[in-house]
Amino acid sequence: MQYYDTGFWQIVFVAVLIVFLLFNIIRARRGKSLFIRRIAGLSAIDEAIGRSTEMGRPVLMVPGLSGLGPVGIQAVNIFAYIARTAAKFGTPIRICFADAALYSVAQEIIRDVYQSEGFADRYDPTAVRFISDRQFAFAAGVAGMILREKIAAAFLLGDWFAESLILAESANSVGAIQVAGSTVTTQTPFLIAACDYVLIGDEFYAASAYLSREPVLVGSLVGQDWSKLLIAAIIVVLMVQASIEKALVPQTTQETQEGPGLIWTSKPIPARLKKRSDLLENRLFNPRPPAALSPREKRKLNAWEKDSDQ
Amino acid sequence: MALTLDDPNYHFLKVTAGALATFGMYSVLYKETKIYRFFEHMFLGLAAGLSLTLLWTQTLYDLWWGPLVGRTADKATEYGQNGAWAWVLVLPLAALAYTIFSKKHNWMSRIPIGLLIGIGAGQAIQNWFNQYGPQIENSIKPAIPTVWSRFTVPDRNGLPQAALDNVNNNVYGSQAINNLIFLVTLLCVLSYFIFCTEFKSKLTKGMSTAGRLMLMVGFGAIFGTTVMTRFALLIDRMYFVWIEWLLESLPRMLHR
Amino acid sequence: MADSTPEARPSLGAKLQALNRNALYLSLFAVVSGSLILTHLTSLQVPAQPQPCTKDTYTLLRNIPAGDTIIIDTGATNSTRGENGGEMEAVFRIAMRERLRFVLYTWQEPQCIEIAKGVIAKINLERRTSNPPEPEYREWDDYVILGFFPDGGTMLQTVASNIRDAWAAKKEKDPAGRERSVFESPVLKNIHRVEDIRAYVNIAMSNLMPTIVARVGRKLPVISMITGVMFPEQLNYYKSGQLKGLINGLVGTVELETLMEKGIDAKGEVGGHAPGPPVAAAFPGEKNYARGMDYYFAFCCAMSLLIVAIVIGNVGMMLERRRKP
Amino acid sequence: MRELAQLAPPTTVWTAHNGSTLLWVEIVAALILGILLAMGLSRLPIRLRKPIVAVVTFAGGLYFVLQYIWPQAQDYSKDEIPRGTVEGVSFWLQGTLPTVTNFAQVLGALLLGLGISSLLRIHISQLVKKHKDWLFSLTLIVSMLAMLVFGYWDWLSKLGPGAEQAVAANPHIFPNFARDFLFDGLFINLDAVMYSMIAFFIFSAAYRSFRLRSIEATILLGTALLVMLTLMGGVLVGWDRVVDAVGGGGGGHAGFLENFRLGAIKDWVQDNLQSPSIRAMEFGLAIGGLAMSLRLWLGIEKGVSN
């Protein structure tokens, strides 16, 4: 990371976000009880499981194409909660993966869930499956399973791409309740069209906190709210600032570089309207390289200048 | 063997296989039949085989085997490369992951997995600002007009460069209003994603409701644009079956 | 959700709201197949309204002087041929008719090159059989193929700083069959810096454009030809001027083909006849309408069907509401 | 130039010349050492297990966090000597980055076997138990083996070591055809079919759910329709004719009415309503992802590191 000019600023920004998160996690651990608003999609989970228990048909859980990252593991955490409930009722479950590493993590977690609930005998190791790491082979495989096993409830939570609708509609065609949520914004509309309940945006991340009420998670959820407010605040403040600067403060100097070391010198010029690149907000986000530049820095600099001209 | 990959007979064979596969898969739209099941399993098999092949040819051979054994320069223009024996240590490390199948030692699988999780998390933190910083900056738009003489943006086409720059650099009344709308929308939607406070005041309640509606606008638009791609692909499939197979490839076969 | 659960003696409204799934699928299948075959037999054309980004793309490509070199970076595979395929054909046609030389490579999937070769062969066939027959496009003299770059990002970084380093190792057979450096070929022999290349055309099914723009976007105009899914996202890059051209999937292809047929006159009108040199001339009397237009009628029919279906559903709902308020 | 090629770079403790016996000895030794280490791990007392996993995870994350927060030396190059510790660390970070990312990729790729083995376990058992679908399991296994064998063979003959000569000698041997048939003839087509099938599902989903049921549904439907109409040339042309007729004089001279061209309306909606709302949603997701990563990195996430 480069610290020159305003470079430090983004580090500070990220640091503040992290502090918000940790502070609230600690607060929650200290036993401060915190509120979470109702999330429709999640209240439906028990209903869905109940239904499939009555029908004696399996509950399907799919994290889309999520890999071994934040999204995938979040999905698995939610699935663990669902599996716990399913284990109590002895409802059969199916979890399909497109990523081998995530699959292995999940298999262990789900096994633990069944053991901790004291239903180790009910755990079927083939319930957690790796289907294929090729997008549409995966879709074909899961769709086939949905139709063959006539699943009664489908939880489609994670990184969904084009394949989302194939599974959602297949599940709908066998009359399953679907609870879906995608971290891929372009897929959410299709899930909304095809599914009964949809987790929009980071309701997906709120889910595990909402379900488990685990202090750590609830705390971090509060931290996330603070962070979002911070972003909103920054945008508003800088927008006001930029508006005023642009409307009222004319640009009277031009910064150019001279000499072998390419030293920045600001020269007076006839007053003109500020370009975007003259505005403070732009400079905050695009730190300006320092004097005495190495060749690589010079290249970056030229690029930067060209950029600020358009 | 003089036969080449673009030999018409072979080509016809290939296209026919493709056409059969198409109908076989489409049969699932009617109901899940044995035909679909056959093609589905073939697909899964081929995919697995392909992944295993690519595992070596596109990942391990370049990223692992190459560095491990190095190479002597084959092109006059470049140096050779020495082998780095330490790369072999990846094998036992990865092997730990496979202890997951053993009841006794499965905890060891968490070492490589944990490492990967850590790396993933670290990268996420590392890239966070690079990914979203520009988006934040991009949402900051001046909302006070710099020109009061006219409200709308003048017609851009046919303007000389200087005039064009001037137009682009100014903020017209209409733009200012749009930018305000942009900001308001952004804030409303953000407020919808606040989970840990109950909105009591009319304003905040209204904002989050409006936010949800704005989201629907966004989703509707996305739906509209995506439909094109999906339909285009269906049409292409049909073109493949009806035109390329039935009306072109088949007759060419028969006339030989 | 209204799902097909027929009540006892369903009313018309209920029926309209719960059309059988298979009937819907069948109708779509029939409409698409029918309209496609119709288009194929009677080469009919649907009017299209070229958007500014398509006009810019065509104007840029059309005004590159003959003999200059452009980069064509293809990511078109068969799974998105419906959109990328048409875009690729259009680009090749324009390039070949203007005698532009091009460098062809991919950093998306190795088989993209094979597919591109197939398209080039197909267009060459057209050129042979057209009257008057046009000269074929030949590898080495008119274009070079650099093949697959596993790590395109790094490659582009090097290209930006020193194009000759980046492709130094790349060799190709000249007509005499001798292996020679691609920089000895007519295509690249005058290229010393990336700025010497006139345009970078990226045909993609995935969102690689930001990387390309970041690496070389400030050194040469970048044109992005993508699938409709990514269009809204990339439109911002076009508006901010980082992209000099942008083709919006199937519709964009049709617009491009329309421009090839009609051209843009001096006043910026599509197919107009304003006096003075045209902004971008047409290719009169050539095969301009191709894969894009082949699909477009079917596309419009499918869209109309979709809208009709939605309307039917809503009418059904209205009737139902009126029946039992 | 040729001499230059013969000239192999100097070796270090970590490297040895390609093909040299030393290299192979080192490799084998390292492998044995690694296996022994792994075995040693299995003897580890239970109370140490969690900490080890946590430490490994933390270390993995720390490297990349450092990449971010550590002051970056302005101009790193292999043959420059760092001035002071700070720059030294920075140089080390920049120098090792490619290796570490490759390492992560390789390690991740090697886990594919876990998935494939699960797939095979299920289908082989079906085969053995003569489960009613055993024939399909057989299909799966056979096609997998075929793809594997011919795919690799084909690669050897084309790109593998010393392939140029092989191809030159015999352009299209049987495996090339087999692989081409399996991949280009079947796999690619199956892929495309599955992809194209989405159109049908969009169709039925839209029919089912795009009802003027609630305000939300209405808005969704309205914007979707608007955008879809702008994709249909005929409609667009017709609409704009009307605009021109009202505004007088065609071709972008209808003055203020320009804003009522279908395309213009759509662009306005996309610029001022769609992009901010989607972006706000992205921010939420971004923060959520950051929080999740943080919890994973510090090992305070419940479920995985418990």
PDB file of all heavy atoms in Angstrom, chain C residues 6 19 43 48 78-79 111 132 143 145 148 166 177 180 187 195 220 222 227 231 233 237-238 247 274 278 293 300:
ATOM      1  N   PRO C   6     -55.389 -26.615 -10.167  1.00  0.00           N
ATOM      2  CA  PRO C   6     -56.747 -26.428 -10.682  1.00  0.00           C
ATOM      3  C   PRO C   6     -57.812 -26.663  -9.620  1.00  0.00           C
ATOM      4  O   PRO C   6     -57.769 -27.656  -8.892  1.00  0.00           O
ATOM      5  CB  PRO C   6     -56.844 -27.481 -11.793  1.00  0.00           C
ATOM      6  CG  PRO C   6     -55.816 -28.488 -11.444  1.00  0.00           C
ATOM      7  CD  PRO C   6     -54.719 -27.748 -10.770  1.00  0.00           C
ATOM      8  N   LEU C  19     -51.912 -21.415 -16.630  1.00  0.00           N
ATOM      9  CA  LEU C  19     -51.637 -22.163 -17.861  1.00  0.00           C
ATOM     10  C   LEU C  19     -50.641 -23.269 -17.562  1.00  0.00           C
ATOM     11  O   LEU C  19     -49.720 -23.089 -16.752  1.00  0.00           O
ATOM     12  CB  LEU C  19     -51.059 -21.227 -18.921  1.00  0.00           C
ATOM     13  CG  LEU C  19     -51.999 -20.161 -19.471  1.00  0.00           C
ATOM     14  CD1 LEU C  19     -51.290 -19.330 -20.531  1.00  0.00           C
ATOM     15  CD2 LEU C  19     -53.237 -20.803 -20.056  1.00  0.00           C
ATOM     16  N   SER C  43     -35.260 -14.482 -46.174  1.00  0.00           N
ATOM     17  CA  SER C  43     -34.335 -13.674 -45.364  1.00  0.00           C
ATOM     18  C   SER C  43     -34.972 -12.319 -45.049  1.00  0.00           C
ATOM     19  O   SER C  43     -34.666 -11.311 -45.670  1.00  0.00           O
ATOM     20  CB  SER C  43     -33.037 -13.470 -46.131  1.00  0.00           C
ATOM     21  OG  SER C  43     -33.338 -12.913 -47.396  1.00  0.00           O
ATOM     22  N   ALA C  48     -33.919  -1.928 -36.947  1.00  0.00           N
ATOM     23  CA  ALA C  48     -33.250  -1.742 -35.657  1.00  0.00           C
ATOM     24  C   ALA C  48     -32.823  -0.289 -35.538  1.00  0.00           C
ATOM     25  O   ALA C  48     -32.630   0.390 -36.537  1.00  0.00           O
ATOM     26  CB  ALA C  48     -32.037  -2.654 -35.551  1.00  0.00           C
ATOM     27  N   ASN C  78     -18.827 -21.671 -27.747  1.00  0.00           N
ATOM     28  CA  ASN C  78     -20.108 -22.057 -28.328  1.00  0.00           C
ATOM     29  C   ASN C  78     -21.272 -21.843 -27.377  1.00  0.00           C
ATOM     30  O   ASN C  78     -22.410 -21.735 -27.794  1.00  0.00           O
ATOM     31  CB  ASN C  78     -20.060 -23.522 -28.776  1.00  0.00           C
ATOM     32  CG  ASN C  78     -19.462 -23.626 -30.163  1.00  0.00           C
ATOM     33  OD1 ASN C  78     -19.477 -22.642 -30.909  1.00  0.00           O
ATOM     34  ND2 ASN C  78     -18.908 -24.768 -30.488  1.00  0.00           N
ATOM     35  N   SER C  79     -20.986 -21.786 -26.070  1.00  0.00           N
ATOM     36  CA  SER C  79     -22.124 -21.685 -25.156  1.00  0.00           C
ATOM     37  C   SER C  79     -22.741 -20.293 -25.176  1.00  0.00           C
ATOM     38  O   SER C  79     -23.888 -20.132 -24.797  1.00  0.00           O
ATOM     39  CB  SER C  79     -21.703 -22.075 -23.745  1.00  0.00           C
ATOM     40  OG  SER C  79     -20.604 -21.305 -23.341  1.00  0.00           O
ATOM     41  N   GLN C 111     -10.118 -23.007 -26.428  1.00  0.00           N
ATOM     42  CA  GLN C 111     -10.861 -23.381 -27.641  1.00  0.00           C
ATOM     43  C   GLN C 111     -11.415 -22.160 -28.366  1.00  0.00           C
ATOM     44  O   GLN C 111     -11.856 -22.267 -29.509  1.00  0.00           O
ATOM     45  CB  GLN C 111     -11.982 -24.371 -27.324  1.00  0.00           C
ATOM     46  CG  GLN C 111     -13.309 -23.738 -27.000  1.00  0.00           C
ATOM     47  CD  GLN C 111     -13.680 -23.925 -25.536  1.00  0.00           C
ATOM     48  OE1 GLN C 111     -12.808 -24.076 -24.682  1.00  0.00           O
ATOM     49  NE2 GLN C 111     -14.950 -23.912 -25.236  1.00  0.00           N
ATOM     50  N   PRO C 132     -17.883  -9.487 -57.381  1.00  0.00           N
ATOM     51  CA  PRO C 132     -16.614 -10.091 -57.776  1.00  0.00           C
ATOM     52  C   PRO C 132     -15.934 -10.735 -56.573  1.00  0.00           C
ATOM     53  O   PRO C 132     -16.012 -10.189 -55.484  1.00  0.00           O
ATOM     54  CB  PRO C 132     -15.810  -8.893 -58.279  1.00  0.00           C
ATOM     55  CG  PRO C 132     -16.355  -7.718 -57.508  1.00  0.00           C
ATOM     56  CD  PRO C 132     -17.808  -8.007 -57.337  1.00  0.00           C
ATOM     57  N   TYR C 143      -3.292 -11.569 -40.954  1.00  0.00           N
ATOM     58  CA  TYR C 143      -3.505 -11.668 -39.507  1.00  0.00           C
ATOM     59  C   TYR C 143      -2.560 -12.697 -38.908  1.00  0.00           C
ATOM     60  O   TYR C 143      -2.067 -13.572 -39.613  1.00  0.00           O
ATOM     61  CB  TYR C 143      -4.959 -12.048 -39.200  1.00  0.00           C
ATOM     62  CG  TYR C 143      -5.377 -13.412 -39.678  1.00  0.00           C
ATOM     63  CD1 TYR C 143      -5.316 -14.507 -38.824  1.00  0.00           C
ATOM     64  CD2 TYR C 143      -5.836 -13.622 -40.967  1.00  0.00           C
ATOM     65  CE1 TYR C 143      -5.712 -15.767 -39.244  1.00  0.00           C
ATOM     66  CE2 TYR C 143      -6.231 -14.870 -41.405  1.00  0.00           C
ATOM     67  CZ  TYR C 143      -6.170 -15.933 -40.536  1.00  0.00           C
ATOM     68  OH  TYR C 143      -6.557 -17.175 -40.959  1.00  0.00           O
ATOM     69  N   ILE C 145      -2.054 -15.240 -35.332  1.00  0.00           N
ATOM     70  CA  ILE C 145      -2.740 -15.817 -34.187  1.00  0.00           C
ATOM     71  C   ILE C 145      -1.718 -16.076 -33.086  1.00  0.00           C
ATOM     72  O   ILE C 145      -0.760 -16.828 -33.282  1.00  0.00           O
ATOM     73  CB  ILE C 145      -3.457 -17.122 -34.572  1.00  0.00           C
ATOM     74  CG1 ILE C 145      -4.520 -16.838 -35.628  1.00  0.00           C
ATOM     75  CG2 ILE C 145      -4.068 -17.769 -33.347  1.00  0.00           C
ATOM     76  CD1 ILE C 145      -5.280 -18.054 -36.077  1.00  0.00           C
ATOM     77  N   PHE C 148      -3.349 -18.839 -26.954  1.00  0.00           N
ATOM     78  CA  PHE C 148      -3.958 -18.704 -25.630  1.00  0.00           C
ATOM     79  C   PHE C 148      -2.938 -18.202 -24.616  1.00  0.00           C
ATOM     80  O   PHE C 148      -1.829 -18.724 -24.547  1.00  0.00           O
ATOM     81  CB  PHE C 148      -4.495 -20.078 -25.207  1.00  0.00           C
ATOM     82  CG  PHE C 148      -4.964 -20.133 -23.783  1.00  0.00           C
ATOM     83  CD1 PHE C 148      -6.056 -19.395 -23.363  1.00  0.00           C
ATOM     84  CD2 PHE C 148      -4.319 -20.931 -22.858  1.00  0.00           C
ATOM     85  CE1 PHE C 148      -6.493 -19.437 -22.044  1.00  0.00           C
ATOM     86  CE2 PHE C 148      -4.753 -20.992 -21.542  1.00  0.00           C
ATOM     87  CZ  PHE C 148      -5.843 -20.242 -21.138  1.00  0.00           C
ATOM     88  N   ALA C 166       6.472  -8.473 -24.762  1.00  0.00           N
ATOM     89  CA  ALA C 166       5.329  -9.292 -24.367  1.00  0.00           C
ATOM     90  C   ALA C 166       5.147 -10.479 -25.318  1.00  0.00           C
ATOM     91  O   ALA C 166       4.871 -11.589 -24.889  1.00  0.00           O
ATOM     92  CB  ALA C 166       4.077  -8.439 -24.344  1.00  0.00           C
ATOM     93  N   GLY C 177       6.466 -21.485 -45.008  1.00  0.00           N
ATOM     94  CA  GLY C 177       6.471 -22.572 -44.032  1.00  0.00           C
ATOM     95  C   GLY C 177       7.603 -22.488 -43.039  1.00  0.00           C
ATOM     96  O   GLY C 177       7.889 -23.429 -42.311  1.00  0.00           O
ATOM     97  N   ARG C 180       8.842 -18.115 -37.985  1.00  0.00           N
ATOM     98  CA  ARG C 180       9.479 -16.801 -37.784  1.00  0.00           C
ATOM     99  C   ARG C 180       8.744 -16.047 -36.691  1.00  0.00           C
ATOM    100  O   ARG C 180       7.591 -16.337 -36.377  1.00  0.00           O
ATOM    101  CB  ARG C 180       9.447 -16.008 -39.092  1.00  0.00           C
ATOM    102  CG  ARG C 180      10.388 -16.558 -40.150  1.00  0.00           C
ATOM    103  CD  ARG C 180      10.019 -16.057 -41.518  1.00  0.00           C
ATOM    104  NE  ARG C 180      10.190 -14.607 -41.645  1.00  0.00           N
ATOM    105  CZ  ARG C 180       9.865 -13.921 -42.735  1.00  0.00           C
ATOM    106  NH1 ARG C 180       9.316 -14.547 -43.757  1.00  0.00           N
ATOM    107  NH2 ARG C 180      10.053 -12.629 -42.787  1.00  0.00           N
ATOM    108  N   VAL C 187       1.835  -7.955 -40.343  1.00  0.00           N
ATOM    109  CA  VAL C 187       0.863  -7.472 -39.362  1.00  0.00           C
ATOM    110  C   VAL C 187       1.543  -6.655 -38.279  1.00  0.00           C
ATOM    111  O   VAL C 187       1.072  -5.590 -37.888  1.00  0.00           O
ATOM    112  CB  VAL C 187       0.120  -8.669 -38.741  1.00  0.00           C
ATOM    113  CG1 VAL C 187      -0.920  -8.195 -37.749  1.00  0.00           C
ATOM    114  CG2 VAL C 187      -0.518  -9.524 -39.824  1.00  0.00           C
ATOM    115  N   GLU C 195       0.770   1.815 -28.700  1.00  0.00           N
ATOM    116  CA  GLU C 195       0.031   2.944 -29.289  1.00  0.00           C
ATOM    117  C   GLU C 195      -0.062   2.825 -30.811  1.00  0.00           C
ATOM    118  O   GLU C 195      -0.928   3.438 -31.431  1.00  0.00           O
ATOM    119  CB  GLU C 195       0.692   4.278 -28.923  1.00  0.00           C
ATOM    120  CG  GLU C 195       0.502   4.702 -27.475  1.00  0.00           C
ATOM    121  CD  GLU C 195       1.568   4.128 -26.552  1.00  0.00           C
ATOM    122  OE1 GLU C 195       2.249   3.161 -26.963  1.00  0.00           O
ATOM    123  OE2 GLU C 195       1.695   4.647 -25.419  1.00  0.00           O
ATOM    124  N   LEU C 220      -4.726   2.891 -26.140  1.00  0.00           N
ATOM    125  CA  LEU C 220      -5.417   2.698 -27.420  1.00  0.00           C
ATOM    126  C   LEU C 220      -6.907   2.519 -27.136  1.00  0.00           C
ATOM    127  O   LEU C 220      -7.282   2.105 -26.039  1.00  0.00           O
ATOM    128  CB  LEU C 220      -4.855   1.490 -28.183  1.00  0.00           C
ATOM    129  CG  LEU C 220      -5.238   0.079 -27.763  1.00  0.00           C
ATOM    130  CD1 LEU C 220      -4.786  -0.909 -28.806  1.00  0.00           C
ATOM    131  CD2 LEU C 220      -4.626  -0.297 -26.439  1.00  0.00           C
ATOM    132  N   VAL C 222     -10.401   1.074 -26.620  1.00  0.00           N
ATOM    133  CA  VAL C 222     -10.891  -0.266 -26.332  1.00  0.00           C
ATOM    134  C   VAL C 222     -12.359  -0.369 -26.701  1.00  0.00           C
ATOM    135  O   VAL C 222     -13.148   0.521 -26.372  1.00  0.00           O
ATOM    136  CB  VAL C 222     -10.708  -0.619 -24.840  1.00  0.00           C
ATOM    137  CG1 VAL C 222     -11.268  -1.991 -24.553  1.00  0.00           C
ATOM    138  CG2 VAL C 222      -9.248  -0.553 -24.454  1.00  0.00           C
ATOM    139  N   THR C 227     -22.065  -9.829 -23.693  1.00  0.00           N
ATOM    140  CA  THR C 227     -23.430 -10.349 -23.654  1.00  0.00           C
ATOM    141  C   THR C 227     -24.303  -9.349 -22.893  1.00  0.00           C
ATOM    142  O   THR C 227     -23.811  -8.594 -22.062  1.00  0.00           O
ATOM    143  CB  THR C 227     -23.453 -11.691 -22.909  1.00  0.00           C
ATOM    144  OG1 THR C 227     -22.891 -11.489 -21.619  1.00  0.00           O
ATOM    145  CG2 THR C 227     -22.640 -12.722 -23.647  1.00  0.00           C
ATOM    146  N   PHE C 231     -24.064  -5.640 -19.992  1.00  0.00           N
ATOM    147  CA  PHE C 231     -24.153  -4.340 -20.653  1.00  0.00           C
ATOM    148  C   PHE C 231     -24.352  -3.185 -19.678  1.00  0.00           C
ATOM    149  O   PHE C 231     -23.568  -2.225 -19.700  1.00  0.00           O
ATOM    150  CB  PHE C 231     -25.263  -4.364 -21.709  1.00  0.00           C
ATOM    151  CG  PHE C 231     -25.424  -3.069 -22.440  1.00  0.00           C
ATOM    152  CD1 PHE C 231     -24.460  -2.645 -23.338  1.00  0.00           C
ATOM    153  CD2 PHE C 231     -26.521  -2.269 -22.212  1.00  0.00           C
ATOM    154  CE1 PHE C 231     -24.591  -1.452 -24.005  1.00  0.00           C
ATOM    155  CE2 PHE C 231     -26.668  -1.065 -22.878  1.00  0.00           C
ATOM    156  CZ  PHE C 231     -25.701  -0.655 -23.770  1.00  0.00           C
ATOM    157  N   GLU C 233     -23.594  -2.707 -16.657  1.00  0.00           N
ATOM    158  CA  GLU C 233     -22.371  -2.454 -15.896  1.00  0.00           C
ATOM    159  C   GLU C 233     -21.339  -1.735 -16.753  1.00  0.00           C
ATOM    160  O   GLU C 233     -20.742  -0.737 -16.350  1.00  0.00           O
ATOM    161  CB  GLU C 233     -21.848  -3.812 -15.449  1.00  0.00           C
ATOM    162  CG  GLU C 233     -20.813  -3.794 -14.374  1.00  0.00           C
ATOM    163  CD  GLU C 233     -20.440  -5.218 -13.986  1.00  0.00           C
ATOM    164  OE1 GLU C 233     -21.222  -6.137 -14.295  1.00  0.00           O
ATOM    165  OE2 GLU C 233     -19.360  -5.391 -13.401  1.00  0.00           O
ATOM    166  N   TYR C 237     -18.671   2.514 -18.098  1.00  0.00           N
ATOM    167  CA  TYR C 237     -17.318   2.692 -18.635  1.00  0.00           C
ATOM    168  C   TYR C 237     -17.380   3.439 -19.957  1.00  0.00           C
ATOM    169  O   TYR C 237     -16.543   4.282 -20.257  1.00  0.00           O
ATOM    170  CB  TYR C 237     -16.632   1.339 -18.838  1.00  0.00           C
ATOM    171  CG  TYR C 237     -16.115   0.719 -17.573  1.00  0.00           C
ATOM    172  CD1 TYR C 237     -16.967   0.080 -16.683  1.00  0.00           C
ATOM    173  CD2 TYR C 237     -14.765   0.763 -17.263  1.00  0.00           C
ATOM    174  CE1 TYR C 237     -16.496  -0.497 -15.522  1.00  0.00           C
ATOM    175  CE2 TYR C 237     -14.271   0.192 -16.107  1.00  0.00           C
ATOM    176  CZ  TYR C 237     -15.152  -0.435 -15.245  1.00  0.00           C
ATOM    177  OH  TYR C 237     -14.666  -1.002 -14.096  1.00  0.00           O
ATOM    178  N   TYR C 238     -18.411   3.125 -20.751  1.00  0.00           N
ATOM    179  CA  TYR C 238     -18.542   3.814 -22.035  1.00  0.00           C
ATOM    180  C   TYR C 238     -18.850   5.286 -21.808  1.00  0.00           C
ATOM    181  O   TYR C 238     -18.239   6.170 -22.408  1.00  0.00           O
ATOM    182  CB  TYR C 238     -19.650   3.152 -22.867  1.00  0.00           C
ATOM    183  CG  TYR C 238     -20.102   3.981 -24.045  1.00  0.00           C
ATOM    184  CD1 TYR C 238     -19.317   4.088 -25.183  1.00  0.00           C
ATOM    185  CD2 TYR C 238     -21.307   4.682 -24.001  1.00  0.00           C
ATOM    186  CE1 TYR C 238     -19.719   4.867 -26.242  1.00  0.00           C
ATOM    187  CE2 TYR C 238     -21.716   5.451 -25.059  1.00  0.00           C
ATOM    188  CZ  TYR C 238     -20.925   5.545 -26.180  1.00  0.00           C
ATOM    189  OH  TYR C 238     -21.322   6.319 -27.230  1.00  0.00           O
ATOM    190  N   ILE C 247     -20.779  -3.011 -27.620  1.00  0.00           N
ATOM    191  CA  ILE C 247     -21.823  -3.711 -28.360  1.00  0.00           C
ATOM    192  C   ILE C 247     -22.633  -4.543 -27.387  1.00  0.00           C
ATOM    193  O   ILE C 247     -22.099  -5.355 -26.640  1.00  0.00           O
ATOM    194  CB  ILE C 247     -21.203  -4.617 -29.449  1.00  0.00           C
ATOM    195  CG1 ILE C 247     -20.497  -3.778 -30.496  1.00  0.00           C
ATOM    196  CG2 ILE C 247     -22.289  -5.454 -30.104  1.00  0.00           C
ATOM    197  CD1 ILE C 247     -21.380  -2.857 -31.291  1.00  0.00           C
ATOM    198  N   ALA C 274     -27.204  13.004 -46.298  1.00  0.00           N
ATOM    199  CA  ALA C 274     -26.745  14.388 -46.178  1.00  0.00           C
ATOM    200  C   ALA C 274     -25.499  14.575 -47.039  1.00  0.00           C
ATOM    201  O   ALA C 274     -24.692  13.645 -47.164  1.00  0.00           O
ATOM    202  CB  ALA C 274     -26.428  14.692 -44.716  1.00  0.00           C
ATOM    203  N   PRO C 278     -19.464  10.952 -45.470  1.00  0.00           N
ATOM    204  CA  PRO C 278     -20.206  10.311 -44.386  1.00  0.00           C
ATOM    205  C   PRO C 278     -19.335  10.082 -43.157  1.00  0.00           C
ATOM    206  O   PRO C 278     -18.122   9.928 -43.274  1.00  0.00           O
ATOM    207  CB  PRO C 278     -20.642   8.976 -44.998  1.00  0.00           C
ATOM    208  CG  PRO C 278     -19.635   8.708 -46.058  1.00  0.00           C
ATOM    209  CD  PRO C 278     -19.246  10.051 -46.613  1.00  0.00           C
ATOM    210  N   MET C 293     -28.991 -10.688 -37.578  1.00  0.00           N
ATOM    211  CA  MET C 293     -30.320 -10.536 -38.165  1.00  0.00           C
ATOM    212  C   MET C 293     -31.023 -11.882 -38.287  1.00  0.00           C
ATOM    213  O   MET C 293     -32.243 -11.958 -38.184  1.00  0.00           O
ATOM    214  CB  MET C 293     -30.210  -9.840 -39.530  1.00  0.00           C
ATOM    215  CG  MET C 293     -31.514  -9.291 -40.075  1.00  0.00           C
ATOM    216  SD  MET C 293     -32.441  -8.288 -38.872  1.00  0.00           S
ATOM    217  CE  MET C 293     -31.781  -6.648 -39.171  1.00  0.00           C
ATOM    218  N   CYS C 300     -37.429 -11.098 -31.397  1.00  0.00           N
ATOM    219  CA  CYS C 300     -38.586 -10.216 -31.193  1.00  0.00           C
ATOM    220  C   CYS C 300     -39.839 -11.054 -30.932  1.00  0.00           C
ATOM    221  O   CYS C 300     -40.640 -10.744 -30.046  1.00  0.00           O
ATOM    222  CB  CYS C 300     -38.772  -9.317 -32.409  1.00  0.00           C
ATOM    223  SG  CYS C 300     -37.441  -8.127 -32.585  1.00  0.00           S
TER     224      CYS C 300
END
